[in-house]
Amino acid sequence: MSTAPTAFSFPTQIRYGAGTLSELPDRLAKLGVTRPLVVTDPGLPPTPAFALLRRALGAAGEGKTWKVFTGVRPNPEEADVVAGAKAFRDGGCDGVVAFGGGSALDAGKAVRLFVKRPDLKLKDYDWAADWSGLAPCVCVPTTAGTGSEVGRSSVIVPEGRKAKGVFFQPNLLAALVILDPEVTRGLPPALTAATGADALTHCIESYTCPVFHPMCDGIALEGIALVVKNLPRAFRDGDDLEARGAMLVAATMGAVAFQKDLGTAHSLAHALSAVCGMHHGAANALVLPEVMRWNAARKPGLYRRVGLACGLSVVDDTGADADRKTVAFITTFLKGLGLGDGLAARGVREEQLEAVVDVAFADPCHKTNVLPVTRDDLKALLKEALA
């Protein structure tokens, strides 16, 4: 174990359990928030999940005691966040409720930067500037995948760019997270699978990332165990609240774990989303087995403890055998969720690979892969995942 100086830091208060969304008004009052802005995407207001939010905040108060901003795109852009900040100011709001998947959560957290600094341009963003006094934010995830609810950063596409940027600032951390499995009950099976695969990839890549953080390692391994046990249940039966709740917890744990950082699968997934429009979780699922095979061939035994977390009997296996069983299990597990059909089946064309590789190689996640990768390595991995 390393003895080099380092620092550990963990996230915010979390309320977990079916029905905890009903506590939102009291929780907002304790934060001094009397007129929140709900930041979400345009697809959520007609859903049962949003009906639960309306009930909690008081349907009669919509537009009066609380405001709604629905201008968040699937890959949020700087213009979305600027518009959200304007809605905050025009509505006389004093806090944010970020409600939705990762995009809504990222946008809701970032709105507060533009409320504090209306002149802000993300191209000039300085995380070390004085960002104290940001409006309080409560995050309520409606999917179980990104873990953005416990993140200290937001992923936004800056004005004039096509690729996403990661904007870090400790003050972006939400003051409260509400994990209510009732809110995720209506999530369709395919989206349940894709977001759950994102959580699984977070846990596996953060565990194998070489950065020293033993607490995150333990969290990542338990997160893997929760996903393996509960994602198939949530996929088969969306009303299984125990499984839904466990997946919300696993997603949060994955995001806590990737304080360490991530790896090559995420660089490839980020690029596939940017160039090909793929859902981030599905992209992760389709490249993860290939990345695991590549890593294991060069560092035998890397995935032994991942295999144990999956419930496999690999203690007495050689490192290579443990890896082989673990990668085979993960491959089959993802196929069982409808996530084993290859990139070509998802519309990725071979002529797009050069552009995907360019974006992936510029992405920082692969720099904390367990082993360094070259541009040629990334292209070879994509070709393997294409079939």
Side-chain angles (χ1 to χ4, degrees), residues 106-299:
D106 279 349
K109 291 186 296 182
V111 156
R112 301 172 297 149
L113 298 174
F114 289 83
V115 169
K116 182 177 174 71
R117 288 267 309 278
D119 61 331
L120 176 65
K121 299 289 184 184
L122 288 181
K123 67 181 179 63
D124 302 319
Y125 175 74
D126 177 8
W127 74 270
D130 179 13
W131 293 106
S132 61
L134 295 183
C137 178
V138 176
C139 283
V140 185
T142 61
T143 64
T146 70
S148 180
E149 61 272 10
V150 291
R152 297 171 175 83
S153 61
S154 285
V155 181
I156 308 291
V157 180
E159 184 179 3
R161 286 179 53 189
K162 292 184 179 180
K164 299 176 182 179
V166 179
F167 298 93
F168 170 79
Q169 167 49 233
N171 287 297
L172 282 176
L173 186 66
L176 173 68
V177 172
I178 295 178
L179 302 180
D180 186 342
E182 292 278 5
V183 174
T184 67
R185 179 177 249 164
L187 204 63
L191 196 53
T192 297
T195 54
D198 192 21
L200 177 64
T201 308
H202 289 160
C203 290
I204 291 175
E205 289 214 299
S206 60
Y207 173 70
T208 56
C209 168
V211 173
F212 178 72
H213 202 317
M215 289 185 284
C216 283
D217 289 344
I219 289 170
L221 291 172
E222 180 61 15
I224 292 166
L226 286 173
V227 173
V228 167
K229 179 180 178 181
N230 293 285
L231 182 53
R233 288 172 53 188
F235 177 72
R236 289 191 303 266
D237 179 7
D239 290 324
D240 186 336
L241 288 185
E242 183 180 44
R244 289 287 194 192
M247 283 306 303
L248 279 171
V249 172
T252 295
M253 292 170 73
V256 172
F258 75 63
Q259 292 183 67
K260 285 182 64 180
D261 244 313
L262 293 163
T264 298
H266 263 78
S267 285
L268 293 172
H270 288 155
L272 287 163
S273 295
V275 176
C276 306
M278 285 191 67
H279 183 278
H280 175 67
N284 267 319
L286 294 170
V287 299
L288 178 62
E290 298 303 334
V291 171
M292 291 178 71
R293 287 187 190 95
W294 189 93
N295 286 336
R298 291 154 181 82
K299 193 175 177 65

Side-chain angles (χ1 to χ4, degrees), residues 76-101:
E77 299 181 11
E78 184 168 347
D80 304 349
V81 186
V82 170
K86 183 178 185 300
F88 185 102
R89 291 190 295 270
D90 291 349
C93 298
D94 55 4
V96 169
V97 175
F99 187 85

Side-chain angles (χ1 to χ4, degrees), residues 67-84:
K67 301 284 187 178
V68 182
F69 173 74
T70 61
V72 181
R73 280 172 267 207
N75 292 306
E77 299 181 11
E78 184 168 347
D80 304 349
V81 186
V82 170

